[in-house]
């Protein structure tokens, strides 16, 4: 299996990658779902919504503040580093991530489509201003904008649209990839998960790296059941 995947990757000039929370698990960041996938005993569906934020901005910010502290202490692992390396070797390469932790940036990846935004950015709920903020922990929660409006995390919650035009770019990359790598995602959150069958139907060879099986494991060309930080460096 791994030999086949290695050969596909070596021969491909165009590669697209979709990552999820599992790629950061070996950096010590808990996943949302699956074994050990609990964020302080909250389900993402309960806190990652505009309704939850409207009801109790302080609670939602406590969750994000806690995560920001955890992520600030973490470092990219061999899987993040291997993808940054792969980008330098392929003429056409697109990294699509559902993660908001910024570990791909810190590993040196250059072109990243962050489908679900960035935990290190803030957005004003009143004037729409959007700015970076790397304080962890935040000195005061909930944080506010210069205009006095309440600030929210610069991420995409359930029921919200993805950043303008980004899904189109991701679909284009998936459709034109010779190899599509799916790493560390439970593949249940849409529209991101839809990229997997889309890539496959467009003719890509799909390689999945995940210690557990997912709704797409049976239809991908190669499902490698192992932790990404161990397997990915061997694959490249
Ligand atoms: C390892 C490992 C190791 C462990 N190595 N692997 C179609 C059908 C049904 C529903 C919908 C649909 N289309 C849209 C929806 C609704 C909804 C949705 O998908 N709901 C489903 C839950 C049913 N989608 C949305 O609402 C999206 N928006 C939208 O569709 O808008 C439409 C619209 C248009 C116009 C106007 C208005 C609206 C938005 C989705 C936003 C998701 N947001 C979150 C929070 C982001 C911010 C934050 O981080 O706080 O994104 S939820 C959470 O889930 C987060 C993640 O990015 C996302 C995906 O999770 P991921 O990455 O897959 O992680 P896990 O934990 O689920 O899986 C980890 C995996 O790693 C596991 O499989 C492990 O086995 C594995 N693993 N260790 C490799 N070492
Ligand atoms: Zn403002």
């Amino acid at each position: 299996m791994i030999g086949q995947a290695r050969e596909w990757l070596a021969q491909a000039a165009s590669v697209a990658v979709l990552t999820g929370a599992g790629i950061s698990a070996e950096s010590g960041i808990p996943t949302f779902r699956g074994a050990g996938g609990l964020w302080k005993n909250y389900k993402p569906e309960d806190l990652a919504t505009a309704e939850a934020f409207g009801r109790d901005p302080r609670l939602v910010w406590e969750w994000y503040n806690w995560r920001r502290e955890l992520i600030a202490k973490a470092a990219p692992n061999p899987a993040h580093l291997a993808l940054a390396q792969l980008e330098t070797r392929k003429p056409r390469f697109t990294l699509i991530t559902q993660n908001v932790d910024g570990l791909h940036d810190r590993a040196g990846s250059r072109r990243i489509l962050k489908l679900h935004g960035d935990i290190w950015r803030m957005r004003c709920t009143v004037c729409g201003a959007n700015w970076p903020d790397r304080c962890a922990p935040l000195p005061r929660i909930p944080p506010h904008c210069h205009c006095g409006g309440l600030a929210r995390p610069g991420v995409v919650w359930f029921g919200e649209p993805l950043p303008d035009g980004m899904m189109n770019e991701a679909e284009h990359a998936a459709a034109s990839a010779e190899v599509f790598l799916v790493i560390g995602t439970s593949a249940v959150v849409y529209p991101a998960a839809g990229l997997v069958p889309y890539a496959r139907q467009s003719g890509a060879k799909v390689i999945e790296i995940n210690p557990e099986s997912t709704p797409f494991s049976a239809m991908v060309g190669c499902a490698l059941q192992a932790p990404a930080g161990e397997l990915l460096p061997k694959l490249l």
Side-chain angles (χ1 to χ4, degrees), residues 21 26 32-33 64 67 98 116 159-160 185-186 190 210:
E26 287 154 273
F32 293 94
R33 306 169 188 85
Y64 279 93
R67 290 175 56 194
Q98 299 170 84
H116 295 163
E160 295 185 331
T185 176
S186 57
Y190 284 80
N210 195 318

Side-chain angles (χ1 to χ4, degrees), residues 18-43:
L18 173 67
T19 65
I23 198 168
S24 297
E26 287 154 273
S27 295
I29 303 174
T31 59
F32 293 94
R33 306 169 188 85
L38 274 185
W39 279 106
K40 238 186 176 179
N41 298 325
Y42 288 111
K43 285 187 288 181

Side-chain angles (χ1 to χ4, degrees), residues 28-218:
I29 303 174
T31 59
F32 293 94
R33 306 169 188 85
L38 274 185
W39 279 106
K40 238 186 176 179
N41 298 325
Y42 288 111
K43 285 187 288 181
E45 290 79 359
D46 292 342
L47 284 181
T49 68
E51 290 73 30
F53 188 69
R55 237 181 355 253
D56 194 343
R58 170 168 284 275
L59 173 71
V60 173
W61 264 116
E62 273 171 11
W63 189 53
Y64 279 93
N65 211 16
W66 175 73
R67 290 175 56 194
R68 284 164 64 109
E69 281 191 76
L70 205 64
I71 294 165
K73 289 184 197 132
N77 67 54
H80 297 103
L81 297 169
L83 291 180
Q85 266 291 315
L86 185 63
E87 180 172 13
T88 64
R89 288 197 230 148
K90 297 293 175 188
R92 290 183 300 286
F93 182 90
T94 306
L95 177 55
I96 307 159
T97 189
Q98 299 170 84
N99 298 348
V100 300
D101 58 29
L103 291 184
H104 285 305
D105 308 73
R106 286 171 55 197
S109 286
R110 308 300 288 264
R111 219 178 87 74
I112 311 172
L113 300 177
K114 295 181 184 175
L115 294 183
H116 295 163
D118 189 332
I119 201 167
W120 300 112
R121 296 195 72 85
M122 304 270 191
R123 196 158 82 236
C124 178
T125 56
V126 176
C127 73
N130 186 315
W131 68 96
D133 183 311
R134 294 203 72 89
C135 285
L138 288 161
R140 207 171 304 113
I141 56 167
H144 285 82
C145 172
H146 290 305
C147 81
L150 182 62
R152 57 163 282 176
V155 302
V156 179
W157 285 327
F158 285 111
E160 295 185 331
L162 273 48
D164 243 8
M166 205 177 275
M167 198 56 205
N168 277 346
E169 274 191 71
E171 281 171 353
H172 177 73
S176 52
E178 289 162 55
V179 169
F180 190 75
L181 271 170
V182 192
I183 307 171
T185 176
S186 57
V188 295
V189 174
Y190 284 80
L195 291 168
V196 183
Y198 190 69
R200 170 129 171 67
Q201 281 149 25
S202 309
K205 297 181 175 86
V206 181
I207 303 169
E208 179 179 68
I209 302 176
N210 195 318
E212 318 259 333
S213 57
T214 75
F216 295 118
S217 300

